[in-house]
Amino acid sequence: MINKTTLNNFITFLLIFTVLFSINCVEIFAEPAVNDVQNVEGTAETTTEAPSDVKNYADENVTLDLNSRAAILIDANTGTIIYEKNAHEKHYPASITKVLTGYIACSEGNLEDTLTVSQNAIDGMGIGGSSIGLVPGEQVSFLDGMYGVMLESANEVCMAIAEHMSGSEDAFVAKMNEVAKSLGCNESNFANPHGFHNENHYTTCYDMALITKKAVTNEDFNHIWGTISHQIPATNLNVARYLNHKDKMIKPNSEYYYPDLLGGKTCFTDEAGNTLVSYAERNGASLISVVMKADGYDNTYKDSIALLDYGFSVYNSRETIFKAADYSYTAKVVQNYRDKTYELGTVSIGAARDVYMALPKFMTADTITVKADFEENLTAPIGINDIVGTINIYYNDTLLDSVDAIATSNAPALSDKELAKRELKENLRKYVMIPLMVLIIIFLLFLIVIFIQSVMNKITGKSRKKSRRPKKKRNNSSAKRKPKKRKRPSSSNNRSQRQH
């Protein structure tokens, strides 16, 4: 039987538990704020350049007869160096500077904007600098201006773009150097947006190759610098203009025509000599060549063709590197509500396309690795074909290509009302059911303890009763002993005694 003290202790414990439980459970009875929903977009990050560890597979036993003082040939996809000559030697770039200016303009500017040419833009293009004859106050579309930059190397348009995008030439130049640094160009400094000679305006073949590698990832840039001719319609102050690309390697009627060329940029100044950047593709192989400090335009073309021809010769034929059908992955889908994250299930993920590529002969397909880059928990809603990250294809540590990772199944988001119900259920389970189960277990344990104590008390009670039984007292005093009764002699004995 439970004694009074034990019962009081149990009641006290129960009251304390109830008070603590009530304090923690107040929020589950409050009305949910259905408008306070946080939607956190999933993010997926990937790196497309590896400037600090570009692989150099240039064969030391191969020497090309180049006129240019410095040259380089790289794989446009990976940055792998296939051939180089004084690639880290600093030289004046002149107008190949416009590759960087054009990339920034296409990636961060708005091609539908209108450029208004200022007097400062005209004055800042340099005496004798190349131009398309814009005048102060003239207005031209941003897109038409870009054709002027990449086809006719128009310095005044570069100045107009710099002022339009950054407010001033200095601010735009700071942006140029910032972008170059981010690409791993540690041996360059740019002082203007067009490349007119300046002692503090210099770069290397290696850095220009890195800049071009990034620039050709922009579709607008690629289209513009690969266009042979373009017409700028009449403006507010001028008649229509006809532009023609200065690079002879892109013109079909030129003796230096290179059918695989996708884009190029020429330039010349007395201090820089002749320089040329070229981008070509053949049978799945993409190459970038840069030559600097050549003696004459003809030598820049001859050197560039020699570099590209050699580069394509070291590639195997185009083959399948990665099949989308072979890739399948499952990711968790979550949704945020009232600062809490709820799991909604999973979504299937696949690749958006196959990857075909021509690999250099020093690369083998069995060294290709595939790595997925997307959040482990994706945020709903997710629909079929939604891009959720990237799938990167590597040769050793060199990035070959990136493919969009897309959802191949649906994962709809829950409504605020459904999330509120789910929150209530989870709170009930967390703050009611679990504590209730704990309380029941504690109560059962308490009963078990009481039962054990009761059993033990019974056992110990019996042993005590046995120990309390009175023992017979022994009296050693002879005086207190009762005298034993003597047996009387039988009658026969008495008779015999009497006869004697």
Side-chain angles (χ1 to χ4, degrees):
M1 189 172 181
I2 302 174
N3 59 43
K4 187 174 182 180
T5 302
T6 304
L7 184 60
N8 288 335
N9 289 338
F10 175 73
I11 293 173
T12 302
F13 167 78
L14 185 61
L15 288 172
I16 293 172
F17 182 86
T18 303
V19 171
L20 294 175
F21 166 72
S22 299
I23 292 172
N24 290 325
C25 291
V26 169
E27 65 175 314
I28 70 170
F29 298 107
E31 183 176 351
V34 294
N35 293 325
D36 187 21
V37 180
Q38 296 182 354
N39 293 318
V40 180
E41 299 293 335
T43 57
E45 297 180 359
T46 182
T47 302
T48 56
E49 309 86 32
S52 62
D53 59 348
V54 171
K55 304 298 180 183
N56 188 340
Y57 289 103
D59 190 342
E60 295 180 356
N61 297 319
V62 176
T63 302
L64 301 179
D65 184 17
L66 304 178
N67 172 269
S68 303
R69 169 69 185 174
I72 195 170
L73 178 71
I74 70 168
D75 184 294
N77 294 313
T78 66
T80 301
I81 298 172
I82 300 171
Y83 187 87
E84 64 174 327
K85 174 186 176 182
N86 302 325
H88 294 276
E89 195 173 87
K90 294 178 181 177
H91 292 285
Y92 300 121
S95 285
I96 60 174
T97 298
K98 295 180 175 75
V99 174
L100 178 57
T101 299
Y103 165 68
I104 294 174
C106 288
S107 60
E108 300 186 24
N110 186 348
L111 297 179
E112 296 181 357
D113 283 355
T114 297
L115 300 175
T116 300
V117 182
S118 68
Q119 183 64 53
N120 184 68
I122 302 300
D123 296 340
M125 70 178 186
I127 299 175
S130 54
S131 80
I132 56 173
L134 295 178
V135 297
E138 187 171 359
Q139 293 182 330
V140 62
S141 75
F142 199 117
L143 178 59
D144 287 334
M146 277 301 305
Y147 281 107
V149 170
M150 301 310 299
L151 273 60
E152 294 281 359
S153 202
N155 285 8
E156 83 275 35
V157 181
C158 291
M159 291 292 295
I161 288 173
E163 292 176 349
H164 179 79
M165 289 186 63
S166 302
S168 69
E169 178 187 8
D170 290 343
F172 187 82
V173 168
K175 179 69 176 178
M176 293 173 66
N177 286 301
E178 178 186 338
V179 171
K181 281 287 185 182
S182 71
L183 298 177
C185 303
N186 298 317
E187 300 166 317
S188 300
N189 187 70
F190 298 96
N192 58 59
H194 41 63
F196 193 82
H197 180 66
N198 185 306
E199 292 291 335
N200 294 318
H201 191 96
Y202 54 83
T203 188
T204 66
C205 284
Y206 175 78
D207 283 2
M208 278 307 306
L210 292 181
I211 291 169
T212 307
K213 175 178 176 290
K214 184 63 176 177
V216 297
T217 63
N218 185 282
E219 293 183 4
D220 291 326
F221 177 88
N222 262 344
H223 176 75
I224 292 169
W225 87 324
T227 300
I228 297 175
S229 62
H230 178 76
Q231 179 182 357
I232 298 179
T235 68
N236 60 323
L237 296 177
N238 243 315
V239 297
R241 294 176 174 84
Y242 297 89
L243 311 178
N244 290 289
H245 211 302
K246 290 186 175 182
D247 189 345
K248 292 183 178 181
M249 288 176 64
I250 207 169
K251 296 179 179 181
N253 58 351
S254 167
E255 61 180 310
Y256 296 113
Y257 175 59
Y258 201 76
D260 304 309
L261 196 75
L262 299 179
K265 183 71 192 75
T266 65
C267 71
F268 168 79
T269 63
D270 291 336
E271 296 82 3
N274 292 94
T275 64
L276 178 62
V277 175
S278 302
Y279 172 49
E281 184 177 295
R282 180 189 298 171
N283 297 327
S286 300
L287 299 176
I288 293 170
S289 68
V290 181
V291 295
M292 300 185 75
K293 199 70 175 178
D295 184 16
Y297 272 121
D298 289 347
N299 286 323
T300 63
Y301 297 133
K302 292 177 182 178
D303 288 356
S304 297
I305 291 172
L307 284 166
L308 294 172
D309 282 346
Y310 168 71
F312 288 128
S313 74
V314 302
Y315 278 77
N316 291 312
S317 59
R318 180 186 174 101
E319 60 181 308
T320 303
I321 302 300
F322 171 82
K323 288 186 177 180
D326 295 337
Y327 184 85
S328 180
Y329 189 81
T330 300
K332 293 180 181 178
V333 179
V334 300
Q335 189 171 348
N336 292 342
Y337 179 71
R338 289 167 59 93
D339 298 327
K340 294 179 182 178
T341 301
Y342 298 93
E343 292 188 9
L344 305 186
T346 60
V347 66
S348 299
I349 297 173
R353 59 177 174 84
D354 296 338
V355 174
Y356 303 94
M357 190 177 296
L359 294 177
K361 294 176 181 178
F362 45 75
M363 292 184 182
T364 55
D366 58 358
T367 58
I368 303 299
T369 57
V370 178
K371 297 179 181 178
D373 184 11
F374 47 82
E375 296 292 329
E376 182 179 355
N377 295 327
L378 303 175
T379 303
I382 296 173
I384 294 177
N385 293 328
D386 282 356
I387 298 174
V388 297
T390 58
I391 300 168
N392 299 320
I393 296 91
Y394 290 90
Y395 170 76
N396 293 333
D397 295 329
T398 304
L399 182 67
L400 295 177
D401 200 356
S402 292
V403 180
D404 287 336
I406 60 173
T408 57
S409 61
N410 284 317
L414 297 180
S415 66
D416 292 351
K417 186 176 180 179
E418 290 172 318
L419 286 170
K421 288 181 179 179
R422 184 161 179 176
E423 181 185 42
L424 183 61
K425 288 180 180 179
E426 293 199 6
N427 284 337
L428 287 172
R429 182 179 61 82
K430 179 179 179 181
Y431 295 113
V432 177
M433 297 304 298
I434 293 177
L436 184 60
M437 291 300 296
V438 172
L439 183 60
I440 291 172
I441 292 171
I442 292 173
F443 181 71
L444 291 174
L445 291 174
F446 179 78
L447 292 180
I448 291 171
V449 171
I450 296 301
F451 175 75
I452 292 172
Q453 286 180 347
S454 177
V455 171
M456 293 300 296
N457 288 338
K458 288 181 179 180
I459 295 172
T460 55
K462 287 181 179 180
S463 62
R464 286 176 184 173
K465 286 181 180 180
K466 288 181 180 180
S467 63
R468 290 175 182 174
R469 286 179 181 176
K471 296 181 180 179
K472 291 182 179 179
K473 293 183 179 180
R474 291 183 180 179
N475 195 342
N476 294 329
S477 175
S478 59
K480 293 182 179 180
R481 288 180 182 176
K482 293 182 179 180
K484 292 182 179 180
K485 293 183 179 180
R486 293 182 180 180
K487 292 182 179 181
R488 291 182 180 180
S490 62
S491 57
S492 58
N493 289 338
N494 290 337
R495 290 174 186 170
S496 62
Q497 286 177 358
R498 286 176 185 171
Q499 288 177 358
H500 286 291

